[in-house]
Amino acid sequence: YDDPHGLPEKTEYLLQEWVAMYHLPNAGRDSSKAFGHFVTQMSLHGVLKTDDLITRFFRLCTQFCVDISYRALASEPTADLIRSKAFHTLDAYVRLIALLIKHSGDANNGVTKVNLLNKVLGIVAGVLLQDQEVRGAEFQQLAYHRILIMLFLELNAPEQVLDSINFQVLTAFCHTLHILRPAKAPGFAYAWLEIVSHRVFIGRLLSITPQQKGWGMYAQLLIDLFKFLAPFLRNAELSKPVSMLYKGTLRVLLVLLHDFPEFLCDYHYGFCDVIPPNCIQMRNLILSAFPRNMRLPDPFTPNLKVDMLPEISHAPRVLTHFAAMIQPPTLKKDLDSYLKTRGPVTFLSELRSVVQVHVSSMNLHVSPEPGMHYNLPLLNALVLYVGTQAIQSIQTKGLSPSMATIGHSSYMDIFQSLAVNLDTEGRYLFINAIANQLRYPNSHTHYFSCVLLCLFAEANSEAIQEQITRVLLERLIVNRPHPWGLLITFIELIKNPVFKFWNHEFVHCAPEIEKLFESVARSCM
Amino acid sequence: MVADQFGMAGLLTFIRVAESDSNLVSLALGSDLTTLGLNLNSPEPLYNNFGGPWAENPCRPQDIDFHVPPEYLTNAVIRDKLAPVKLNRYQEDLLFYLFYTNVGDTMQLAASLELYNRDWRYHKEERLWITRVPGMPLMEKTGTYERGTYYCFDPNNWRKVAKEMFVEYERLEDRP
Amino acid sequence: ALSKEQQIQHQSLEAAFYHMPHPSDSERLRHYLPRSPYMTPPYYPQS
């Protein structure tokens, strides 16, 4: 960093001075008296003179604090002593940062304050990433965790000057946490999730910030977490570290399901895009969310008339731009023209005739690695896009989805082609994409429930029916919760004689399977 | 039938593996989420006292920061003057308070030990603290049980209630 | 199979696993009754 001669020593001295002043009984409320004196010292020593010097000052301070923490970790015998020693300096440093931010620029000019905050957060993130790089397995999160969470708490105190810049403060922290996402800083992952799920953090982003303006940022952080976990969750056996992180993630999702179900409803699509297909319980948990003002009829009610429910024609909010994920643009164009004109048939035959390869040219095929044969986001986007177009066209005709109204349409053509022509893995993922829309009573649930039943009823091979059943059943045998739409679809499938469900070989392929079906049937017939 | 892992045979393999090693399929069959230490039936939001992703219990009331007028924050001034926590100095009332408000914390255990030292016993099934009423002779006593009149501590009404009980020793918690 | 990068990530995660954050890391220093979670017997009140 080729710091100017003497600056490190001067910075260390100043930091120690501040720590001492901070801990004096007469430091004043929120250390305001101590700060007054200290700012004078800082000016005297010229560390506030230029932007570059300020940057160097914070970087050096951060490094000193980190060093002190590592030394405490190495020398103190108990966790309590480590923390009291490390926090002695860390908390004082955080207070200094908070005071400098609150007093930077003139009182009602938030820009300079937020700029300074971004600078400091950037420095802390930079030091952390470098530290992780250098120390490798010896890296410890303590100092960074403490600095970030305490600074967050300090800057979310109910003070006039902070209220006016709160959204920018939240944005700055979310941006920093995105930079420090587990994929980038795996050694910080547990502390990261602790911060992201801290009650004040959740409260600010998901509850207090008006117009749900914090939701998108929070969703992005969860997606960061799912993306990191995904490769490790594909293994049948979870290692202890992954299992701990997974369990923690479930806890956070449970809190969100209980307190902010609408948030999970709005962002379910983006979450399902990055959750591996074999994470059935976690995905069910997200799909089970339903708006708090909605009363769900018992799915086991005999003769439940789903299509009579008032909400069944309402489209749910989907805040992910899934249509934009259909790439390349030519694919989208061809798709739109086929949906509109039900032609050219070659579009379907392309699908049908060269399903794997062709599909690859349509980017549905990504790489030959097992389990990675398909571009899942594209497949999911395709399914939801075609579905939403279909719902729109049905509703413009004043109709509502049913087995009769959804059939013989360009939309069903697409679904039929994919069901028939994809290989078993592709078909499994395709059916999962549909099943991901079986949620609380809404037009998507209704339509895709009909699509699945229609695919079952019109299947030209038992393999399709078997795989539809497989996807539904594996989502049912997992521990609770279960999405409402999943239950009503499966109940309809096994109850309605039109599907001749019980005649199929795969229903009786093994005593365990038979027993499962019977127990589900018993509970709903 | 579909021969690979994407059909019913694949699911069957799942189920059979689950019977032998549930850890292997913990993602697919999942676990009982009510055991994660969250009160999912709470009418109140959970996030207010969420103990964090690694905690088995929510925060205690005293863990939650509320912003109060700074003048209230007396700990900075008096903390050096307060005597260290010594449970054997406290009245039973405070011990019960510590026991019931420090769930899942070492303090709960410490309070329990102190109550035990004061001849209270925790009935594991009744989930109550009981102690013999002083001066009241037992009606019956053997090597495995006794019968008599006891004080039970009722946390809901926060008072001691006299009750005739048949107490089997094995149902009482040993020394914590 | 995990990629090389994912294996390295897992190693870092594993190292972090042995010094998990402590609940008090996310809270103001409390001189009295800091939170120290403990697995108390299941028959104790849990909430």
Side-chain angles (χ1 to χ4, degrees):
Chain A
Y1 291 109
D2 60 16
D3 291 315
H5 179 70
L7 182 61
E9 294 75 10
K10 188 190 305 183
T11 303
E12 188 166 9
Y13 162 76
L14 282 170
L15 181 60
Q16 284 164 351
E17 277 291 293
W18 166 250
V19 171
M21 292 163 95
Y22 170 82
H23 285 289
L24 285 174
N26 61 356
R29 200 179 91 180
D30 293 339
S31 320
S32 45
K33 263 194 214 136
F35 180 67
H37 298 310
F38 186 67
V39 168
T40 317
Q41 281 211 44
M42 287 179 84
S43 306
L44 283 174
H45 285 82
V47 291
L48 296 175
K49 211 178 296 177
T50 65
D51 189 59
D52 177 64
L53 277 173
I54 290 175
T55 302
R56 289 178 188 275
F57 174 79
F58 280 118
R59 180 181 41 80
L60 286 165
C61 281
T62 305
Q63 286 168 336
F64 288 147
C65 288
V66 168
D67 288 347
I68 287 170
S69 304
Y70 274 110
R71 270 194 257 125
L73 284 162
S75 60
E76 295 299 332
T78 67
D80 286 350
L81 289 174
I82 290 170
R83 280 156 171 83
S84 70
K85 187 162 187 179
F87 293 177
H88 182 82
T89 302
L90 288 169
D91 288 359
Y93 178 44
V94 165
R95 178 59 59 84
L96 175 63
I97 295 171
L99 287 165
L100 283 169
I101 286 171
K102 284 192 277 190
H103 290 82
S104 73
D106 48 24
N108 51 20
N109 175 2
V111 172
T112 47
K113 300 174 187 359
V114 174
N115 285 350
L116 181 56
L117 171 61
N118 276 312
K119 174 195 292 290
V120 170
L121 289 177
I123 289 169
V124 173
V127 173
L128 184 158
L129 291 172
Q130 189 181 43
D131 183 6
Q132 178 183 246
E133 192 73 28
V134 169
R135 292 178 193 268
E138 300 306 309
F139 168 82
Q140 296 236 19
Q141 81 280 353
L142 183 67
Y144 308 99
H145 181 186
R146 187 69 177 176
I147 290 173
L148 289 173
I149 191 63
M150 295 312 284
L151 185 57
F152 185 83
L153 295 179
E154 287 271 347
L155 296 180
N156 278 276
E159 291 177 34
Q160 178 67 39
V161 70
L162 292 175
D163 284 345
S164 57
I165 58 170
N166 189 248
F167 186 69
Q168 294 96 314
V169 167
L170 297 179
T171 307
F173 272 90
C174 285
H175 184 63
T176 305
L177 287 167
H178 176 64
I179 292 170
L180 295 177
R181 60 189 177 280
K184 292 296 179 198
F188 190 63
Y190 298 114
W192 185 91
L193 185 54
E194 178 98 17
I195 294 172
V196 166
S197 61
H198 191 278
R199 53 191 177 276
V200 177
F201 195 86
I202 287 181
R204 279 285 174 182
L205 276 163
L206 295 182
S207 175
I208 298 168
T209 303
Q211 292 112 47
Q212 301 168 350
K213 285 193 299 178
W215 285 20
M217 295 191 288
Y218 200 82
Q220 178 55 59
L221 293 176
L222 286 185
I223 287 172
D224 288 338
L225 177 60
F226 295 149
K227 278 186 177 174
F228 172 72
L229 273 170
F232 306 112
L233 295 178
R234 284 207 183 83
N235 285 325
E237 193 158 355
L238 301 185
S239 68
K240 274 213 178 66
V242 171
S243 180
M244 170 70 85
L245 191 58
Y246 175 68
K247 194 173 172 184
T249 303
L250 284 181
R251 278 204 180 92
V252 175
L253 286 176
L254 277 171
V255 171
L256 296 179
L257 178 67
H258 183 276
D259 295 355
F260 306 98
E262 294 83 1
F263 167 75
L264 290 184
C265 291
D266 288 357
Y267 287 93
H268 91 286
Y269 181 85
F271 296 155
C272 287
D273 243 7
V274 291
I275 292 176
N278 66 321
C279 277
I280 297 170
Q281 183 175 41
M282 183 156 82
R283 188 181 53 210
N284 265 1
L285 195 157
I286 292 169
L287 297 179
S288 299
F290 61 91
R292 273 169 295 188
N293 59 6
M294 188 177 278
R295 288 282 157 270
L296 256 58
D298 181 353
F300 295 101
T301 314
N303 301 318
L304 175 64
K305 291 277 176 280
V306 169
D307 45 358
M308 304 301 282
L309 298 174
E311 303 95 344
I312 208 70
S313 59
H314 300 166
R317 268 194 341 166
V318 179
L319 293 184
T320 309
H321 300 297
F322 55 89
M325 297 167 110
I326 300 178
Q327 298 292 338
T330 51
L331 169 63
K332 176 93 169 16
K333 195 165 69 57
D334 293 343
L335 177 61
D336 280 335
S337 80
Y338 182 84
L339 292 178
K340 197 169 287 142
T341 63
R342 208 171 178 181
V345 177
T346 50
F347 179 73
L348 273 185
S349 57
E350 277 173 13
L351 273 177
R352 188 170 50 248
S353 60
V354 192
V355 65
Q356 300 301 348
V357 171
H358 182 76
V359 169
S360 66
S361 75
M362 294 164 80
N363 286 336
L364 279 178
H365 227 208
V366 176
S367 72
E369 272 185 62
M372 304 290 277
H373 295 145
Y374 287 88
N375 181 342
L376 211 48
L378 175 59
L379 185 56
N380 290 339
L382 196 67
V383 165
L384 187 54
Y385 178 74
V386 171
T388 48
Q389 298 298 306
I391 292 167
Q392 209 172 358
S393 103
I394 290 170
Q395 290 182 341
T396 44
K397 293 174 202 160
L399 299 172
S400 77
S402 69
M403 295 284 282
T405 60
I406 71 169
H408 307 301
S409 63
S410 55
Y411 314 99
M412 272 311 284
D413 289 349
I414 299 284
F415 291 145
Q416 289 282 15
S417 298
L418 287 172
V420 167
N421 295 309
L422 286 175
D423 65 2
T424 52
E425 179 181 3
R427 188 185 297 129
Y428 175 78
L429 297 172
F430 163 62
I431 295 169
N432 264 294
I434 294 174
N436 285 351
Q437 307 311 320
L438 304 178
R439 299 191 293 151
Y440 58 92
N442 62 50
S443 62
H444 291 191
T445 298
H446 193 195
Y447 174 76
F448 281 106
S449 178
C450 293
V451 166
L452 219 52
L453 294 171
C454 189
L455 287 175
F456 189 98
E458 298 181 358
N460 60 3
S461 80
E462 194 165 66
I464 295 175
Q465 293 161 326
E466 179 183 339
Q467 288 196 267
I468 289 173
T469 306
R470 153 56 193 263
V471 166
L472 294 177
L473 187 60
E474 71 178 1
R475 291 176 180 229
L476 278 167
I477 60 176
V478 73
N479 270 279
R480 285 176 299 164
H482 301 112
W484 182 83
L486 172 71
L487 291 169
I488 59 144
T489 305
F490 196 70
I491 289 166
E492 178 65 14
L493 180 62
I494 63 176
K495 280 176 73 174
N496 191 333
V498 80
F499 301 112
K500 301 187 183 69
F501 180 77
W502 300 95
N503 300 352
H504 291 284
E505 180 198 353
F506 55 78
V507 172
H508 311 284
C509 64
E512 295 96 325
I513 298 288
E514 213 158 0
K515 211 178 349 171
L516 274 174
F517 282 124
E518 280 160 14
S519 72
V520 173
R522 244 193 328 274
S523 60
C524 54
M525 281 195 188
Chain B
M1 283 184 53
V2 171
D4 59 23
Q5 73 267 40
F6 298 107
M8 292 304 277
L11 185 59
L12 184 59
T13 311
F14 241 5
I15 292 166
R16 287 183 175 161
V17 165
E19 277 157 15
S20 60
D21 180 355
S22 62
N23 186 38
L24 271 183
V25 289
S26 62
L27 286 177
L29 291 184
S31 57
D32 180 357
L33 297 180
T34 61
T35 62
L36 288 178
L38 294 166
N39 180 8
L40 299 175
N41 296 315
S42 158
E44 299 296 321
L46 296 178
Y47 77 92
N48 283 325
N49 61 3
F50 181 45
W54 328 117
E56 299 286 338
N57 288 293
C59 287
R60 304 161 305 173
Q62 62 267 40
D63 299 325
I64 308 292
D65 274 343
F66 278 93
H67 293 287
V68 294
E71 298 72 31
Y72 288 21
L73 299 177
T74 57
N75 64 347
V77 175
I78 64 170
R79 68 173 164 219
D80 300 329
K81 301 182 179 64
L82 289 176
V85 174
K86 280 209 170 40
L87 295 188
N88 58 9
R89 288 187 187 160
Y90 301 154
Q91 298 285 326
E92 282 175 359
D93 193 39
L94 180 52
L95 291 176
F96 282 119
Y97 175 78
L98 290 172
F99 178 82
Y100 283 105
T101 58
N102 286 274
V103 274
D105 196 280
T106 49
M107 183 53 71
Q108 186 177 42
L109 217 56
S112 171
L113 175 61
E114 181 58 26
L115 285 166
Y116 185 94
N117 291 343
R118 301 194 189 183
D119 291 332
W120 282 87
R121 293 292 179 273
Y122 191 76
H123 196 297
K124 290 183 287 188
E125 286 176 20
E126 299 285 336
R127 303 199 172 199
L128 278 177
W129 283 96
I130 64 171
T131 189
R132 292 179 186 136
V133 174
M136 287 282 278
L138 291 177
M139 287 174 243
E140 198 178 352
K141 181 176 175 39
T142 69
T144 57
Y145 68 87
E146 64 181 50
R147 205 153 56 81
T149 304
Y150 301 85
Y151 280 136
C152 304
F153 186 77
D154 171 7
N156 295 319
N157 297 307
W158 206 257
R159 59 193 178 85
K160 288 189 274 190
V161 178
K163 197 171 158 186
E164 194 176 301
M165 291 179 76
F166 171 78
V167 177
E168 289 174 276
Y169 298 135
E170 64 175 8
R171 296 178 197 284
L172 299 181
E173 182 188 32
D174 293 334
R175 182 184 179 76
Chain C
L2 295 176
S3 67
K4 189 86 185 84
E5 183 191 7
Q6 286 156 356
Q7 286 168 43
I8 293 169
Q9 286 172 349
H10 189 271
Q11 282 162 16
S12 293
L13 185 71
E14 191 164 25
F17 176 73
Y18 292 103
H19 46 79
M20 290 294 287
H22 188 272
S24 61
D25 293 346
S26 301
E27 290 160 7
R28 296 185 192 286
L29 269 180
R30 288 195 207 305
H31 294 288
Y32 289 97
L33 298 181
R35 185 162 51 134
S36 54
Y38 186 80
M39 190 62 84
T40 53
Y43 42 79
Y44 277 10
Q46 296 297 318
S47 65

